[in-house]
Coordinates of all heavy atoms in Angstrom, one line a residue:
Chain B
S160 N -2.9 30.0 -5.8 CA -3.5 29.8 -7.1 C -4.4 28.5 -7.1 O -5.6 28.5 -7.6 CB -2.5 29.7 -8.2 OG -3.0 29.2 -9.4
C161 N -3.9 27.4 -6.5 CA -4.6 26.1 -6.5 C -5.1 25.7 -5.2 O -5.8 24.6 -5.2 CB -3.8 25.0 -7.2 SG -2.4 24.5 -6.2
Q162 N -4.7 26.3 -4.1 CA -5.1 25.9 -2.8 C -4.4 24.8 -2.2 O -4.6 24.4 -1.0 CB -6.6 25.7 -2.6 CG -7.5 26.9 -2.9 CD -8.9 26.8 -2.5 OE1 -9.5 27.8 -2.1 NE2 -9.5 25.6 -2.5
N163 N -3.6 24.1 -3.0 CA -2.8 22.9 -2.5 C -1.8 23.4 -1.5 O -1.4 24.6 -1.5 CB -2.2 22.2 -3.6 CG -1.7 20.8 -3.3 OD1 -2.1 20.3 -2.2 ND2 -0.9 20.2 -4.1
F164 N -1.2 22.4 -0.7 CA -0.2 22.7 0.3 C 1.0 23.1 -0.6 O 1.3 22.6 -1.7 CB 0.2 21.5 1.1 CG -0.8 21.0 2.0 CD1 -1.2 19.7 2.0 CD2 -1.5 21.9 2.9 CE1 -2.3 19.3 2.9 CE2 -2.4 21.5 3.7 CZ -2.8 20.2 3.7
S165 N 1.8 24.2 -0.1 CA 3.0 24.6 -0.8 C 3.8 25.4 0.2 O 3.5 25.9 1.3 CB 2.5 25.7 -1.8 OG 3.6 26.4 -2.4
D166 N 5.1 25.3 -0.1 CA 6.1 26.0 0.8 C 6.3 27.5 0.4 O 6.8 28.3 1.1 CB 7.5 25.4 0.6 CG 7.6 23.9 1.0 OD1 6.6 23.4 1.5 OD2 8.6 23.3 0.9
T167 N 5.8 27.8 -0.8 CA 5.8 29.1 -1.4 C 4.5 29.7 -1.7 O 3.5 29.0 -1.7 CB 6.7 29.1 -2.7 OG1 6.2 28.0 -3.5 CG2 8.2 28.8 -2.4
E168 N 4.4 31.0 -2.0 CA 3.1 31.6 -2.3 C 2.3 30.9 -3.3 O 1.1 30.6 -3.3 CB 3.4 33.1 -2.7 CG 3.1 34.1 -1.6 CD 3.1 35.4 -2.1 OE1 2.5 35.8 -3.0 OE2 4.0 36.3 -1.5
V169 N 3.1 30.6 -4.4 CA 2.4 29.8 -5.5 C 3.3 28.5 -5.7 O 4.5 28.5 -5.6 CB 2.5 30.6 -6.8 CG1 2.0 29.8 -8.0 CG2 1.7 31.9 -6.7
C170 N 2.6 27.4 -5.8 CA 3.2 26.0 -5.9 C 4.0 25.8 -7.1 O 3.8 26.5 -8.1 CB 2.3 24.9 -5.5 SG 1.2 24.5 -6.9
G171 N 4.8 24.8 -7.1 CA 5.6 24.4 -8.2 C 4.9 24.0 -9.5 O 5.2 24.5 -10.6
I172 N 3.7 23.4 -9.3 CA 2.9 23.0 -10.5 C 2.3 24.3 -11.1 O 2.3 24.5 -12.3 CB 1.8 22.1 -10.1 CG1 2.4 20.7 -9.6 CG2 0.8 21.8 -11.3 CD1 1.4 19.6 -9.2
C173 N 1.7 25.2 -10.3 CA 1.1 26.4 -10.7 C 2.1 27.3 -11.4 O 1.8 28.1 -12.3 CB 0.4 27.1 -9.6 SG -1.2 26.3 -9.1
E174 N 3.4 27.3 -10.9 CA 4.4 28.1 -11.4 C 5.0 27.7 -12.8 O 5.7 28.4 -13.4 CB 5.6 28.3 -10.4 CG 5.5 29.5 -9.6 CD 6.6 29.7 -8.6 OE1 7.4 28.7 -8.4 OE2 6.8 30.8 -8.0
N175 N 4.7 26.4 -13.1 CA 5.3 25.8 -14.3 C 4.5 26.2 -15.4 O 3.3 25.8 -15.6 CB 5.3 24.3 -14.0 CG 5.8 23.5 -15.2 OD1 6.1 24.1 -16.3 ND2 6.1 22.2 -15.0
P176 N 5.1 27.0 -16.3 CA 4.2 27.6 -17.5 C 3.9 26.5 -18.4 O 2.7 26.7 -19.1 CB 5.3 28.5 -18.1 CG 6.6 28.2 -17.7 CD 6.4 27.6 -16.4
E177 N 4.5 25.4 -18.5 CA 4.2 24.3 -19.4 C 2.8 23.6 -19.0 O 2.2 22.9 -19.8 CB 5.2 23.2 -19.4 CG 6.5 23.7 -20.1 CD 7.5 22.6 -20.2 OE1 7.2 21.5 -19.9 OE2 8.7 23.0 -20.5
R178 N 2.4 23.8 -17.7 CA 1.2 23.2 -17.2 C 0.0 24.1 -17.4 O -1.2 23.6 -17.1 CB 1.5 22.7 -15.8 CG 2.6 21.7 -15.7 CD 2.6 20.9 -14.5 NE 1.5 20.0 -14.5 CZ 1.5 18.8 -13.9 NH1 2.6 18.3 -13.4 NH2 0.4 18.0 -13.9
S179 N 0.2 25.3 -17.8 CA -0.9 26.2 -18.0 C -1.4 26.0 -19.5 O -1.2 26.9 -20.3 CB -0.6 27.7 -17.7 OG -0.2 27.9 -16.4
N180 N -1.9 24.9 -19.8 CA -2.3 24.6 -21.2 C -3.8 24.7 -21.4 O -4.3 24.1 -22.4 CB -1.8 23.2 -21.5 CG -2.3 22.1 -20.6 OD1 -3.2 22.4 -19.8 ND2 -1.8 20.9 -20.7
G181 N -4.5 25.3 -20.5 CA -6.0 25.5 -20.7 C -6.8 24.4 -20.1 O -8.0 24.4 -20.2
T182 N -6.1 23.4 -19.6 CA -6.8 22.3 -18.9 C -6.7 22.4 -17.4 O -5.5 22.6 -16.9 CB -6.3 20.9 -19.3 OG1 -6.3 21.0 -20.8 CG2 -7.3 19.9 -18.9
L183 N -7.8 22.4 -16.6 CA -7.7 22.5 -15.2 C -8.5 21.4 -14.6 O -9.6 21.1 -15.0 CB -8.3 23.9 -14.8 CG -8.3 24.3 -13.3 CD1 -6.9 24.3 -12.8 CD2 -9.1 25.6 -13.1
C184 N -7.9 20.7 -13.6 CA -8.4 19.5 -13.0 C -8.7 19.8 -11.6 O -7.9 20.2 -10.8 CB -7.4 18.4 -13.2 SG -8.0 16.8 -12.3
V185 N -10.0 19.6 -11.2 CA -10.4 19.9 -9.8 C -10.5 18.6 -9.0 O -11.2 17.7 -9.4 CB -11.9 20.5 -9.9 CG1 -12.3 20.8 -8.4 CG2 -11.9 21.8 -10.7
V186 N -9.8 18.7 -7.9 CA -9.8 17.5 -7.0 C -10.2 17.9 -5.6 O -10.1 19.1 -5.3 CB -8.4 16.7 -6.9 CG1 -8.0 16.1 -8.3 CG2 -7.3 17.7 -6.6
E187 N -10.5 16.9 -4.8 CA -10.9 17.2 -3.4 C -9.8 17.4 -2.5 O -9.8 18.1 -1.6 CB -11.9 16.1 -2.9 CG -13.2 16.0 -3.6 CD -14.2 15.0 -3.0 OE1 -14.0 14.8 -1.7 OE2 -15.0 14.5 -3.7
S188 N -8.7 16.6 -2.7 CA -7.6 16.7 -1.8 C -6.2 16.5 -2.4 O -6.0 16.1 -3.5 CB -7.8 15.5 -0.8 OG -7.5 14.3 -1.4
P189 N -5.2 16.9 -1.6 CA -3.8 16.8 -2.1 C -3.5 15.3 -2.5 O -2.7 15.1 -3.4 CB -2.9 17.2 -0.9 CG -3.8 18.1 -0.2 CD -5.2 17.6 -0.3
S190 N -4.1 14.3 -1.7 CA -3.7 13.0 -2.0 C -4.4 12.5 -3.4 O -3.7 11.7 -4.1 CB -4.2 12.0 -0.9 OG -5.4 12.3 -0.4
D191 N -5.5 13.1 -3.8 CA -6.1 12.8 -5.1 C -5.2 13.4 -6.1 O -4.8 12.8 -7.1 CB -7.4 13.5 -5.3 CG -8.5 12.9 -4.2 OD1 -8.2 11.8 -3.7 OD2 -9.5 13.6 -3.9
L192 N -4.7 14.6 -5.9 CA -3.7 15.3 -6.9 C -2.5 14.3 -7.0 O -2.1 14.1 -8.1 CB -3.3 16.6 -6.4 CG -2.4 17.5 -7.2 CD1 -2.5 18.9 -6.9 CD2 -0.9 17.2 -6.9
L193 N -1.9 13.9 -5.9 CA -0.7 13.0 -5.9 C -1.0 11.7 -6.7 O -0.1 11.3 -7.5 CB -0.3 12.6 -4.5 CG 0.6 13.6 -3.8 CD1 1.0 13.0 -2.4 CD2 1.8 13.9 -4.6
A194 N -2.2 11.1 -6.4 CA -2.5 9.9 -7.2 C -2.6 10.1 -8.7 O -2.1 9.3 -9.4 CB -3.9 9.4 -6.8
I195 N -3.1 11.2 -9.1 CA -3.0 11.5 -10.6 C -1.8 11.8 -11.0 O -1.3 11.3 -12.1 CB -4.0 12.8 -10.8 CG1 -5.5 12.4 -10.4 CG2 -3.9 13.2 -12.3 CD1 -6.5 13.6 -10.5
E196 N -1.0 12.6 -10.3 CA 0.4 12.8 -10.7 C 1.3 11.6 -10.9 O 2.1 11.4 -11.8 CB 1.1 13.8 -9.8 CG 0.7 15.2 -9.8 CD 1.2 15.9 -11.1 OE1 2.3 16.1 -11.2 OE2 0.3 16.3 -12.0
Q197 N 1.0 10.6 -10.0 CA 1.8 9.5 -10.0 C 1.4 8.4 -11.0 O 2.3 7.6 -11.5 CB 1.8 8.7 -8.6 CG 2.8 9.5 -7.5 CD 2.4 9.2 -6.2 OE1 1.6 8.3 -5.9 NE2 3.0 9.9 -5.2
T198 N 0.2 8.5 -11.4 CA -0.2 7.3 -12.3 C -0.7 7.7 -13.7 O -0.7 6.9 -14.5 CB -1.4 6.5 -11.6 OG1 -2.4 7.5 -11.4 CG2 -1.0 6.0 -10.3
S199 N -1.0 9.0 -13.9 CA -1.6 9.4 -15.2 C -0.6 10.3 -15.9 O 0.5 10.6 -15.5 CB -2.9 10.0 -15.0 OG -2.6 11.4 -14.9
D200 N -0.9 10.5 -17.2 CA -0.1 11.4 -18.0 C -0.7 12.8 -18.2 O -0.4 13.5 -19.1 CB 0.2 10.7 -19.4 CG -1.1 10.2 -20.0 OD1 -2.2 10.5 -19.4 OD2 -1.1 9.7 -21.1
Y201 N -1.5 13.2 -17.2 CA -2.1 14.5 -17.2 C -1.0 15.6 -17.1 O -0.2 15.5 -16.2 CB -3.1 14.6 -16.0 CG -3.7 15.9 -15.9 CD1 -4.6 16.4 -16.9 CD2 -3.5 16.8 -14.8 CE1 -5.2 17.7 -16.7 CE2 -4.0 18.1 -14.7 CZ -4.9 18.5 -15.6 OH -5.5 19.8 -15.5
K202 N -1.1 16.6 -17.9 CA 0.0 17.6 -17.9 C -0.6 19.0 -17.7 O 0.1 20.0 -18.0 CB 0.8 17.5 -19.1 CG 1.7 16.3 -19.2 CD 2.9 16.4 -18.2 CE 3.6 15.0 -18.1 NZ 3.6 14.5 -16.7
G203 N -1.9 19.1 -17.3 CA -2.5 20.4 -17.2 C -2.3 20.9 -15.7 O -1.4 20.4 -14.9
S204 N -3.1 21.9 -15.2 CA -2.9 22.3 -13.8 C -4.1 21.8 -13.0 O -5.0 21.2 -13.4 CB -2.8 23.9 -13.8 OG -3.8 24.4 -14.6
Y205 N -4.1 22.2 -11.7 CA -5.1 21.7 -10.7 C -5.7 22.7 -9.9 O -5.2 23.9 -9.8 CB -4.3 20.8 -9.7 CG -3.8 19.5 -10.3 CD1 -2.5 19.4 -10.7 CD2 -4.6 18.3 -10.3 CE1 -2.0 18.2 -11.2 CE2 -4.1 17.1 -10.8 CZ -2.8 17.1 -11.2 OH -2.3 15.9 -11.6
F206 N -6.8 22.4 -9.3 CA -7.4 23.2 -8.3 C -7.8 22.1 -7.2 O -8.6 21.2 -7.4 CB -8.6 23.9 -8.8 CG -9.1 25.1 -7.8 CD1 -8.5 26.3 -7.7 CD2 -10.1 24.8 -6.8 CE1 -9.0 27.1 -6.8 CE2 -10.5 25.7 -5.9 CZ -9.9 26.9 -5.9
V207 N -7.3 22.4 -6.0 CA -7.6 21.5 -4.9 C -8.6 22.1 -3.9 O -8.4 23.1 -3.2 CB -6.3 21.1 -4.1 CG1 -6.6 20.1 -3.0 CG2 -5.2 20.7 -5.1
L208 N -9.8 21.5 -3.8 CA -10.9 22.1 -3.0 C -10.7 21.9 -1.5 O -11.2 22.7 -0.7 CB -12.2 21.3 -3.4 CG -12.7 21.4 -4.8 CD1 -13.9 20.5 -5.1 CD2 -13.1 22.9 -5.1
M209 N -9.8 21.0 -1.1 CA -9.6 20.6 0.3 C -10.9 20.3 0.9 O -11.2 20.7 2.0 CB -8.9 21.8 1.1 CG -7.6 22.1 0.6 SD -6.4 20.9 1.3 CE -4.8 21.5 0.8
G210 N -11.7 19.5 0.3 CA -13.0 19.1 0.9 C -14.1 19.0 -0.2 O -13.7 18.9 -1.5
H211 N -15.3 18.9 0.2 CA -16.4 18.9 -0.8 C -17.6 19.6 -0.1 O -17.6 19.9 1.1 CB -16.8 17.5 -1.2 CG -16.9 16.6 -0.1 ND1 -16.1 15.3 0.0 CD2 -17.5 16.7 1.1 CE1 -16.4 14.8 1.2 NE2 -17.3 15.5 1.9
L212 N -18.6 20.0 -1.0 CA -19.8 20.6 -0.4 C -20.4 19.6 0.5 O -20.5 18.5 0.2 CB -20.7 21.0 -1.6 CG -20.3 22.1 -2.4 CD1 -21.4 22.4 -3.5 CD2 -20.1 23.4 -1.6
S213 N -20.8 20.1 1.7 CA -21.5 19.2 2.7 C -22.4 20.1 3.5 O -22.0 20.5 4.7 CB -20.5 18.4 3.5 OG -21.2 17.6 4.4
P214 N -23.7 20.4 3.1 CA -24.5 21.3 3.9 C -24.7 20.8 5.3 O -24.7 21.6 6.2 CB -25.8 21.3 3.1 CG -25.4 20.8 1.7 CD -24.2 20.0 1.9
I215 N -24.7 19.5 5.5 CA -25.0 19.0 6.8 C -23.8 19.3 7.8 O -24.1 19.4 9.0 CB -25.3 17.5 6.7 CG1 -26.2 17.0 7.9 CG2 -23.9 16.6 6.7 CD1 -26.7 15.6 7.7
D216 N -22.6 19.4 7.3 CA -21.5 19.8 8.1 C -21.2 21.3 8.0 O -20.1 21.7 8.5 CB -20.2 19.0 7.7 CG -20.4 17.5 7.7 OD1 -20.9 17.0 8.8 OD2 -20.0 16.8 6.8
G217 N -22.0 22.1 7.4 CA -21.9 23.5 7.3 C -20.8 23.9 6.3 O -20.2 24.9 6.3
V218 N -20.4 23.0 5.3 CA -19.4 23.4 4.3 C -20.1 23.8 3.0 O -20.7 23.1 2.3 CB -18.5 22.1 4.0 CG1 -17.4 22.5 3.0 CG2 -17.8 21.6 5.3
G219 N -19.9 25.1 2.8 CA -20.5 25.7 1.6 C -19.5 26.1 0.5 O -18.3 25.8 0.8
P220 N -20.0 26.6 -0.6 CA -19.0 27.0 -1.7 C -17.8 27.8 -1.2 O -16.7 27.6 -1.7 CB -19.9 27.8 -2.6 CG -21.3 27.2 -2.4 CD -21.3 26.9 -0.9
D221 N -18.0 28.8 -0.4 CA -16.9 29.6 0.1 C -15.8 28.9 0.8 O -14.7 29.2 0.7 CB -17.4 30.8 1.1 CG -18.1 31.8 0.2 OD1 -18.0 31.8 -1.0 OD2 -18.7 32.7 0.9
D222 N -16.3 27.8 1.6 CA -15.3 27.1 2.4 C -14.3 26.2 1.5 O -13.3 25.9 2.0 CB -16.1 26.1 3.3 CG -17.0 26.9 4.3 OD1 -16.5 27.8 4.9 OD2 -18.2 26.7 4.3
I223 N -14.8 25.9 0.3 CA -13.9 25.1 -0.5 C -13.3 26.0 -1.7 O -12.8 25.3 -2.6 CB -14.6 23.8 -1.0 CG1 -15.9 24.1 -1.7 CG2 -14.8 22.8 0.2 CD1 -16.5 22.8 -2.3
G224 N -13.5 27.2 -1.7 CA -12.9 28.1 -2.7 C -13.5 28.1 -4.0 O -12.8 28.4 -5.0
I225 N -14.8 27.9 -4.1 CA -15.5 27.8 -5.4 C -15.3 29.2 -6.2 O -15.0 29.2 -7.5 CB -17.0 27.5 -5.4 CG1 -17.1 26.1 -4.7 CG2 -17.7 27.5 -6.7 CD1 -16.8 24.9 -5.6
E226 N -15.5 30.3 -5.5 CA -15.4 31.6 -6.2 C -14.0 31.8 -6.8 O -13.8 32.3 -7.9 CB -15.7 32.8 -5.2 CG -17.1 32.9 -4.8 CD -18.2 32.9 -5.9 OE1 -17.9 33.5 -6.9 OE2 -19.2 32.2 -5.8
R227 N -13.0 31.4 -6.0 CA -11.6 31.5 -6.4 C -11.4 30.7 -7.7 O -10.8 31.1 -8.6 CB -10.6 31.0 -5.4 CG -9.2 31.2 -5.6 CD -8.3 30.4 -4.6 NE -8.5 30.8 -3.3 CZ -7.5 31.1 -2.4 NH1 -6.2 31.0 -2.8 NH2 -7.7 31.4 -1.1
L228 N -12.0 29.4 -7.6 CA -11.9 28.6 -8.9 C -12.6 29.3 -10.1 O -11.9 29.2 -11.2 CB -12.6 27.3 -8.5 CG -12.9 26.3 -9.6 CD1 -11.6 25.8 -10.3 CD2 -13.7 25.1 -9.2
L229 N -13.7 29.7 -9.9 CA -14.5 30.4 -11.0 C -13.7 31.6 -11.6 O -13.6 31.8 -12.8 CB -15.9 30.8 -10.7 CG -16.8 29.6 -10.1 CD1 -18.1 30.2 -9.6 CD2 -17.0 28.6 -11.3
R230 N -13.1 32.4 -10.7 CA -12.3 33.4 -11.1 C -11.1 33.0 -12.0 O -10.8 33.6 -13.0 CB -11.7 34.3 -9.9 CG -12.6 35.3 -9.4 CD -11.9 36.3 -8.5 NE -11.1 35.8 -7.4 CZ -11.6 35.4 -6.2 NH1 -12.8 35.6 -6.0 NH2 -10.8 34.9 -5.3
R231 N -10.5 31.9 -11.5 CA -9.3 31.3 -12.2 C -9.8 30.8 -13.6 O -9.0 31.0 -14.6 CB -8.7 30.2 -11.4 CG -7.2 30.3 -11.3 CD -6.7 29.1 -10.6 NE -5.7 28.4 -11.5 CZ -5.1 27.3 -11.2 NH1 -5.1 26.8 -10.0 NH2 -4.3 26.8 -12.1
V232 N -10.9 30.1 -13.6 CA -11.3 29.6 -14.9 C -11.6 30.7 -15.9 O -11.2 30.6 -17.1 CB -12.7 28.8 -14.7 CG1 -13.4 28.5 -16.0 CG2 -12.4 27.5 -13.9
R233 N -12.2 31.8 -15.4 CA -12.5 32.9 -16.3 C -11.2 33.6 -16.7 O -11.0 34.0 -17.9 CB -13.5 33.9 -15.7 CG -14.9 33.3 -15.5 CD -15.8 34.3 -14.9 NE -17.0 33.5 -14.6 CZ -17.6 33.3 -13.4 NH1 -17.1 33.9 -12.3 NH2 -18.7 32.7 -13.3
S234 N -10.3 33.9 -15.8 CA -9.1 34.8 -16.1 C -8.1 34.1 -16.8 O -7.2 34.7 -17.4 CB -8.6 35.3 -14.8 OG -8.0 34.3 -14.0
E235 N -8.0 32.7 -16.7 CA -6.9 32.0 -17.4 C -7.2 31.4 -18.7 O -6.4 30.6 -19.3 CB -6.4 30.8 -16.4 CG -5.6 31.4 -15.2 CD -5.1 30.3 -14.3 OE1 -5.1 29.1 -14.8 OE2 -4.8 30.6 -13.2
G236 N -8.5 31.6 -19.2 CA -8.8 31.1 -20.5 C -8.8 29.6 -20.5 O -8.3 29.0 -21.4
V237 N -9.4 29.0 -19.4 CA -9.5 27.6 -19.3 C -10.5 27.1 -20.4 O -11.5 27.7 -20.6 CB -10.0 27.1 -17.9 CG1 -10.3 25.6 -17.9 CG2 -8.9 27.4 -16.8
T238 N -10.0 26.1 -21.2 CA -10.9 25.5 -22.1 C -11.6 24.1 -21.8 O -12.7 23.8 -22.2 CB -10.1 25.2 -23.5 OG1 -9.0 24.5 -23.1 CG2 -9.8 26.6 -24.1
E239 N -10.9 23.4 -20.9 CA -11.5 22.2 -20.4 C -11.3 22.1 -18.8 O -10.2 22.3 -18.3 CB -11.0 20.9 -20.9 CG -11.6 19.6 -20.4 CD -11.0 18.3 -20.9 OE1 -10.0 18.4 -21.8 OE2 -11.4 17.3 -20.4
L240 N -12.5 22.0 -18.1 CA -12.4 21.8 -16.7 C -12.7 20.4 -16.3 O -13.9 19.9 -16.6 CB -13.5 22.8 -16.0 CG -13.4 22.9 -14.5 CD1 -12.1 23.5 -14.1 CD2 -14.6 23.6 -14.0
I241 N -11.8 19.6 -15.8 CA -12.0 18.2 -15.4 C -12.5 18.2 -13.9 O -11.7 18.6 -13.1 CB -10.8 17.4 -15.6 CG1 -10.2 17.5 -17.0 CG2 -11.0 15.8 -15.2 CD1 -8.9 16.9 -17.2
L242 N -13.7 17.7 -13.7 CA -14.2 17.7 -12.4 C -13.8 16.3 -11.8 O -14.6 15.3 -11.9 CB -15.7 18.0 -12.3 CG -16.0 19.4 -12.8 CD1 -17.6 19.6 -12.9 CD2 -15.4 20.4 -11.9
A243 N -12.7 16.1 -11.2 CA -12.2 14.8 -10.7 C -12.5 14.7 -9.2 O -11.7 14.1 -8.4 CB -10.8 14.6 -11.0
T244 N -13.7 15.2 -8.7 CA -14.1 14.9 -7.4 C -14.5 13.4 -7.2 O -14.6 12.8 -8.2 CB -15.3 15.8 -7.0 OG1 -16.4 15.6 -8.0 CG2 -14.9 17.2 -6.9
N245 N -14.6 13.0 -6.0 CA -14.8 11.5 -5.8 C -16.2 11.1 -6.2 O -17.1 12.0 -6.2 CB -14.6 11.2 -4.3 CG -13.2 11.3 -3.9 OD1 -12.3 11.0 -4.6 ND2 -13.0 11.8 -2.7
P246 N -16.4 9.8 -6.6 CA -17.7 9.3 -7.0 C -18.6 9.0 -5.8 O -19.0 7.8 -5.7 CB -17.3 8.0 -7.9 CG -16.1 7.6 -7.3 CD -15.3 8.8 -6.8
T247 N -18.7 9.9 -4.9 CA -19.5 9.9 -3.7 C -20.7 10.8 -3.8 O -20.6 11.7 -4.7 CB -18.8 10.1 -2.4 OG1 -18.3 11.5 -2.6 CG2 -17.6 9.2 -2.2
V248 N -21.7 10.7 -2.9 CA -22.8 11.6 -3.1 C -22.3 13.1 -3.0 O -22.7 13.9 -3.8 CB -23.7 11.3 -1.8 CG1 -24.9 12.4 -1.8 CG2 -24.4 9.9 -2.0
E249 N -21.4 13.4 -2.0 CA -20.9 14.7 -1.8 C -20.0 15.1 -3.0 O -20.0 16.3 -3.5 CB -20.1 14.9 -0.6 CG -20.8 14.6 0.7 CD -20.9 13.2 1.2 OE1 -20.4 12.3 0.4 OE2 -21.4 12.9 2.2
G250 N -19.2 14.2 -3.6 CA -18.3 14.6 -4.7 C -19.1 14.9 -5.9 O -18.8 15.8 -6.7
E251 N -20.2 14.1 -6.1 CA -21.1 14.3 -7.4 C -21.8 15.6 -7.2 O -21.9 16.3 -8.2 CB -22.1 13.1 -7.4 CG -21.6 11.8 -7.6 CD -21.0 11.5 -9.0 OE1 -21.1 12.3 -9.9 OE2 -20.4 10.4 -9.3
A252 N -22.3 15.9 -5.9 CA -23.0 17.2 -5.7 C -22.1 18.3 -6.0 O -22.5 19.3 -6.6 CB -23.5 17.1 -4.3
T253 N -20.9 18.2 -5.5 CA -19.9 19.3 -5.7 C -19.6 19.6 -7.2 O -19.5 20.6 -7.7 CB -18.6 19.0 -4.9 OG1 -18.9 18.7 -3.6 CG2 -17.6 20.1 -5.0
A254 N -19.4 18.4 -7.9 CA -19.1 18.6 -9.4 C -20.3 19.2 -10.0 O -20.2 20.0 -10.9 CB -18.9 17.2 -9.9
H255 N -21.6 18.8 -9.6 CA -22.8 19.4 -10.3 C -22.9 20.9 -10.0 O -23.3 21.6 -10.8 CB -24.0 18.6 -9.9 CG -24.2 17.3 -10.7 ND1 -24.2 16.0 -10.1 CD2 -24.3 17.1 -12.0 CE1 -24.3 15.1 -11.0 NE2 -24.4 15.8 -12.2

Side-chain angles (χ1 to χ4, degrees):
Chain B
S160 171
C161 72
Q162 301 196 142
N163 195 12
F164 295 130
S165 173
D166 299 358
T167 45
E168 259 185 54
V169 177
C170 77
I172 294 179
C173 289
E174 260 182 352
N175 183 346
E177 289 179 19
R178 303 201 61 147
S179 301
N180 59 6
T182 313
L183 185 60
C184 178
V185 178
V186 292
E187 292 187 27
S188 74
S190 42
D191 296 339
L192 182 153
L193 276 186
I195 295 173
E196 283 292 292
Q197 280 160 11
T198 60
S199 87
D200 49 5
Y201 178 67
K202 292 288 171 241
S204 51
Y205 290 95
F206 191 87
V207 184
L208 299 172
M209 296 279 185
H211 47 233
L212 291 179
S213 179
I215 208 168
D216 300 312
V218 181
D221 282 351
D222 302 305
I223 57 175
I225 300 284
E226 293 307 324
R227 187 195 297 229
L228 167 64
L229 297 175
R230 275 197 306 275
R231 226 186 118 178
V232 167
R233 287 178 192 123
S234 69
E235 288 183 16
V237 168
T238 50
E239 180 181 358
L240 187 70
I241 303 170
L242 297 175
T244 53
N245 290 324
T247 57
V248 173
E249 294 87 356
E251 298 285 357
T253 307
H255 281 117

